[in-house]
Amino acid sequence: MRPSGRQPNQMRPVTIETGFARHAEGSALIRVGGTEVLCVASVESRVPPFLRGKGTGWVTAEYGMLPRATHTRGNREAAKGKQSGRTQEIQRLIGRSLRSVVDLAALGEMSITLDCDVLNADGGTRCASITGAWVALRLALGQLVAKNVLSHMPLRGQVAAVSCGLTKAGPVLDLDYEEDSAAAADTNFVLTADRRIVEIQGTAEEAPFTEDAFNELFALARTGVSVLFDAQTLAVETAENR
């Protein structure tokens, strides 16, 4: 039995609230169980120096945690004067994941930054960030199309992410903090709605795990992202039908 009482293939409750950041081109507050992340898309008519004059756009991300998103207060990274290696790794992952489903050439020389701020952390913050950021990005791009800034929607599809792990209860889907902190292995799957792989992160915390165990985790991830894709679609449809 899992600490939460969930079945091995059961996600935590997932909700995505749009329009949370009133001044942004797109925003989504995603809740996955006790994890809450505010994802905000900002559009700028410029690109990084390495892309200037190349006629292509850019999508990037920044990630952070509020000091009391966790059980004890964490120091603000701004106060330290630098980001941690974990923060840099996660925001690069979010950016890569979103760029995988965007036609950057169709953006022209325009940048979209996804700010993902963790309000409450209970496991899976990077996965929730990717999933929520896609909604914020989709809404921002929808605005650009509606205003005729873009001639067509430059998204190639949906992307979402979910964690899976090997615990005392066996292979399980969508780890919360209690499970994640004690798991023998944990994995993060970034997948597209047309069943392609963007990235897989997997780590054995104790003994190496087998290929059969990995395949079980992958199957669980497929189940989980189907729930997330439905939540994304519902959030976008609800926002655009207001």
Side-chain angles (χ1 to χ4, degrees), residues 41-137:
S42 300
V43 179
E44 297 177 283
S45 299
R46 60 187 178 89
V47 292
F50 70 92
L51 287 177
R52 286 176 192 162
K54 295 185 178 179
T56 188
W58 187 241
V59 175
T60 189
E62 294 191 10
Y63 168 95
M65 277 195 178
L66 293 186
R68 204 54 205 271
T70 52
H71 293 91
T72 57
R73 187 184 187 277
N75 293 325
R76 293 184 188 272
E77 292 186 339
K80 298 178 183 178
K82 64 177 183 178
Q83 293 179 315
S84 69
R86 175 183 181 274
T87 294
Q88 293 180 52
E89 184 260 324
I90 291 175
Q91 63 191 25
R92 287 170 183 157
L93 170 65
I94 299 167
R96 286 195 303 272
S97 300
L98 296 173
R99 288 193 297 273
S100 73
V101 292
V102 176
D103 181 355
L104 295 175
L107 278 180
E109 294 209 356
M110 185 182 302
S111 293
I112 301 179
T113 301
L114 282 305
D115 288 295
C116 301
D117 291 291
V118 179
L119 310 183
N120 288 293
D122 187 23
T125 61
R126 72 184 65 194
C127 295
S129 295
I130 292 167
T131 304
W134 182 89
V135 174
L137 175 63

Side-chain angles (χ1 to χ4, degrees), residues 129-157:
S129 295
I130 292 167
T131 304
W134 182 89
V135 174
L137 175 63
R138 169 61 180 78
L139 294 176
L141 292 172
Q143 277 202 21
L144 295 174
V145 173
K147 293 177 180 178
N148 294 316
V149 176
L150 295 176
S151 62
H152 64 279
M153 177 62 65
L155 272 180
R156 297 191 179 106

Side-chain angles (χ1 to χ4, degrees), residues 2 6 11-14 30-37 63 65 69-71 86 90 118-129 161-164 173-181 186-188:
R2 303 176 71 175
R6 288 182 287 146
M11 291 283 295
R12 292 174 287 176
V14 179
I30 181 169
R31 297 181 175 93
V32 184
T35 289
E36 298 178 314
V37 185
Y63 168 95
M65 277 195 178
T70 52
H71 293 91
R86 175 183 181 274
I90 291 175
V118 179
L119 310 183
N120 288 293
D122 187 23
T125 61
R126 72 184 65 194
C127 295
S129 295
V162 71
S163 65
C164 299
L173 171 66
D174 186 26
L175 303 176
D176 57 27
Y177 176 77
E178 185 175 354
E179 290 176 317
D180 188 30
S181 61
D186 63 90
T187 54
N188 298 303

